[in-house]
Amino acid sequence: GHLVVADVMVTEVITVDPEERLENVLKIFRDKNFKGVPVVKKGRLLGMAYAVDLLKVYFMSKCDILDIGEACTFASLMNTKCTVDRFMIRRPVTVVPSDDIVRIAKKMVKTDKYTFPVVKEGSANWRDNGFFLGMVTLSDVIPLIYQAVVMD
């Protein structure tokens, strides 16, 4: 069959406020084993906080930081009191409910992000990424692709 994001997306999602402190976001990554958390305000998607980006920042510190700008960014990020909007991705890859599942799976592989926020079609503007509807994650997609490939 022709499967779309609406068939697999999860609507009961933990989201964080842009003012959420970094330490609380890290806790969510640790306790829930999430790869990414949507940053949402008044129902609109402001960005995505991805665990992998935090790891990059963390390991960056283990290297020799020569660039003073990088060093400053790093110092401010490692202050866990700082807020999530400081390191979230403001323009994450988003998908809409009518998107084809196989296309989304390919996108996941290409972008190295295995969870995408789902937004209402045509609701994005210059300020944010649109009305947040839910998340679609690789683990939700794989059984369907397996079915599609094996059962066809």
Side-chain angles (χ1 to χ4, degrees):
H2 180 71
L3 288 161
V4 294
V5 168
D7 299 324
V8 294
M9 67 184 239
V10 178
T11 50
E12 291 291 306
V13 179
I14 291 182
T15 63
V16 294
D17 194 76
E19 284 86 51
E20 188 65 75
R21 290 198 343 212
L22 185 51
E23 54 190 315
N24 296 336
V25 180
L26 287 170
K27 240 178 242 148
I28 293 172
F29 287 144
R30 187 194 63 195
D31 299 343
K32 304 272 186 247
N33 199 17
F34 286 171
K35 304 276 180 281
V37 176
V39 182
V40 175
K41 183 143 202 170
K42 296 196 170 114
R44 298 187 68 88
L45 179 70
L46 301 188
M48 278 294 294
Y50 281 109
V52 64
D53 296 327
L54 279 183
L55 281 175
K56 278 180 196 150
V57 167
Y58 178 74
F59 286 116
M60 195 177 88
S61 72
K62 302 277 177 258
C63 321
D64 299 327
I65 301 178
L66 299 172
D67 181 325
I68 192 70
E70 262 185 16
C72 292
T73 312
F74 176 75
S76 63
L77 278 173
M78 276 301 113
N79 169 9
T80 55
K81 302 277 182 285
C82 94
T83 52
V84 68
D85 60 359
R86 293 282 295 281
F87 72 88
M88 70 181 185
I89 295 176
R90 290 185 187 280
R91 292 285 170 200
V93 176
T94 59
V95 299
V96 298
S98 59
D99 275 337
D100 179 72
I101 285 298
V102 176
R103 242 189 62 231
I104 298 309
K106 283 183 186 153
K107 220 182 218 181
M108 286 175 174
V109 174
K110 252 218 305 273
T111 58
D112 226 20
K113 303 279 192 243
Y114 298 112
T115 179
F116 291 148
V118 185
V119 294
K120 189 175 169 222
E121 203 151 358
S123 64
N125 59 31
W126 60 273
R127 263 199 307 272
D128 60 43
N129 300 285
F131 282 111
F132 178 72
L133 300 174
M135 295 294 292
V136 60
T137 303
L138 187 63
S139 51
D140 304 325
V141 172
I142 282 183
L144 296 175
I145 290 179
Y146 176 82
Q147 233 171 348
V149 172
V150 177
M151 308 302 183
D152 276 7

